[in-house]
Amino acid sequence: MSAPGNGPGNGEAWLEERLRPSLAQKLRIDKQLYRDKTEHQDLIVFEHQLYGRVMALDGIVQTTEADEFVYHEMMTHVPILAHGAAKRVLIVGGGDGGMAEEALKHPLERLVQVEIDRTVVDIARAHLPSISGGAYDDPRMELLIADGARYVQETDERFDVVIVDSTDPVGPGEILFSREFYAGCKRCLTPGGIIVTQNGIPFFERYAVENTYRRLGMLFSDVSFFLAPVPAYIGGFMAFGWGTDNAALRRQPVELIAERFKVLGIKLRYYNPAIHQAAFAHPQFLVDILEALDRDAG
């Protein structure tokens, strides 16, 4: 992030998120609520006319009140409902609490969240309480402030679903895209369990899709992506990595997903069973990328 500076001649403060050497987006900081350098990263929370409250880390928008529901609903409900019998879920990252809030809408027995930066959790709870809701007070949840990469290598616990809600593959989030980390996640998955990962915007970040597809493909027999458009993450739809050894979980009929969803008795803002099924359909440019990787691997 370039330091919040002045807009063109009007004295306004802006967050400039530099996405590529030739591409950036700018969000006006209508009111800065918090900014400081944590032990791990630069953290700012501010109010924005369209997005509501926004949290950014190292100049990269992480979540906004206006559109967080798309990201959090898809990354939790797709794997948990696809699994069909998930009782134990691990979240790596997810300091804003949105992933935990959505996961706890399911009848889980245990939810563990491993977040490296305590300040992110504390500031999100203070300034973005609507995102986590009451998740951190739920007795089924345990929050660990620790290194997620080390945790998956060392824990004796096993999980049905692992959700990797990481920052981008730079700084403290870089290791969460490595083969070693994915191997640790598989180590603590139950047989037939599912891992899902934040995988960026494939229109601009083809390398992220390619790297994840290769690395998960070394560990799981069924690897793919599902998609959702998150307005604050510009450049088109976001890809979420998917890995499991049970290929049937990705190809279940919409009627079965609908039955499972109905039992929850909840209404969401983005996710529904039809979106669940459709999210695994890929535009042709992504089909071409994955087919090329399959040919290279073969």
Side-chain angles (χ1 to χ4, degrees):
M1 174 178 70
S2 59
N6 292 335
N10 57 15
E12 296 174 334
W14 293 75
L15 172 81
E16 181 175 325
E17 180 181 10
R18 298 189 178 179
L19 303 162
R20 290 289 176 275
S22 60
L23 178 68
Q25 70 166 332
K26 293 180 70 173
L27 279 68
R28 190 178 67 202
I29 300 173
D30 294 326
K31 181 180 180 181
Q32 182 171 302
L33 302 173
Y34 178 90
R35 187 177 184 195
D36 201 1
K37 186 83 172 178
T38 77
E39 181 183 353
H40 300 280
Q41 51 212 331
D42 186 271
L43 169 60
I44 184 171
V45 180
F46 62 93
E47 293 182 354
H48 184 267
Q49 182 181 15
L50 297 178
Y51 285 126
R53 293 190 173 188
V54 178
M55 174 183 282
L57 295 173
D58 290 335
I60 306 297
V61 173
Q62 301 300 308
T63 193
T64 86
E65 286 182 317
D67 68 357
E68 57 86 18
F69 66 94
V70 181
Y71 179 83
H72 291 128
E73 288 180 12
M74 289 298 284
M75 209 169 173
T76 54
H77 300 300
V78 169
I80 295 175
L81 285 167
H83 187 284
K87 295 300 181 184
R88 301 170 66 86
V89 171
L90 170 66
I91 298 169
V92 179
D96 56 50
M99 213 65 74
E101 191 225 1
E102 294 300 327
L104 288 166
K105 292 176 180 178
H106 295 264
L108 304 180
E109 295 174 356
R110 179 160 169 75
L111 174 68
V112 176
Q113 179 180 335
V114 184
E115 163 63 49
I116 198 169
D117 197 332
R118 161 66 73 177
T119 303
V120 172
V121 176
D122 293 342
I123 296 304
R125 294 184 73 177
H127 295 290
L128 296 152
S130 65
I131 293 181
S132 61
Y136 290 113
D137 299 318
D138 192 300
R140 296 172 293 167
M141 180 177 178
E142 180 180 7
L143 172 66
L144 301 175
I145 302 303
D147 182 336
R150 176 174 293 179
Y151 177 85
V152 298
Q153 297 289 346
E154 297 177 353
T155 182
D156 292 328
E157 295 207 48
R158 296 296 178 264
F159 301 93
D160 303 307
V161 173
V162 173
I163 299 170
V164 185
D165 183 13
S166 64
T167 56
D168 290 339
V170 293
E174 184 174 6
I175 194 172
L176 302 185
F177 292 79
S178 67
R179 183 187 181 283
E180 292 74 20
F181 171 69
Y182 294 147
C185 290
K186 179 162 188 179
R187 171 188 169 276
C188 62
L189 273 174
T190 56
I194 303 168
I195 178 175
V196 294
T197 67
Q198 181 276 109
N199 226 90
I201 308 299
F203 188 80
F204 289 135
E205 298 170 311
R206 173 173 176 159
Y207 70 90
V209 167
E210 292 176 335
N211 288 342
T212 297
Y213 194 69
R214 289 191 190 101
R215 291 166 185 172
L216 287 179
M218 298 174 185
L219 300 164
F220 297 93
S221 60
D222 185 62
V223 175
S224 190
F225 299 89
F226 59 103
L227 312 173
V230 184
Y233 307 150
I234 68 167
F237 55 81
M238 167 166 274
F240 301 96
W242 166 279
T244 181
D245 287 327
N246 184 352
L249 299 181
R250 180 163 63 93
R251 300 177 175 89
Q252 297 173 96
V254 67
E255 293 81 7
L256 177 58
I257 298 299
E259 288 176 12
R260 294 172 179 171
F261 184 60
K262 184 177 180 180
V263 170
L264 295 179
I266 61 174
K267 184 176 181 180
L268 301 173
R269 297 176 63 194
Y270 185 83
Y271 177 95
N272 60 45
I275 285 287
H276 177 129
Q277 186 179 60
F280 287 97
H282 298 160
Q284 192 58 43
F285 81 86
L286 184 54
V287 171
D288 292 342
I289 290 171
L290 302 185
E291 288 182 347
L293 291 170
D294 287 338
R295 287 195 299 271
D296 291 344

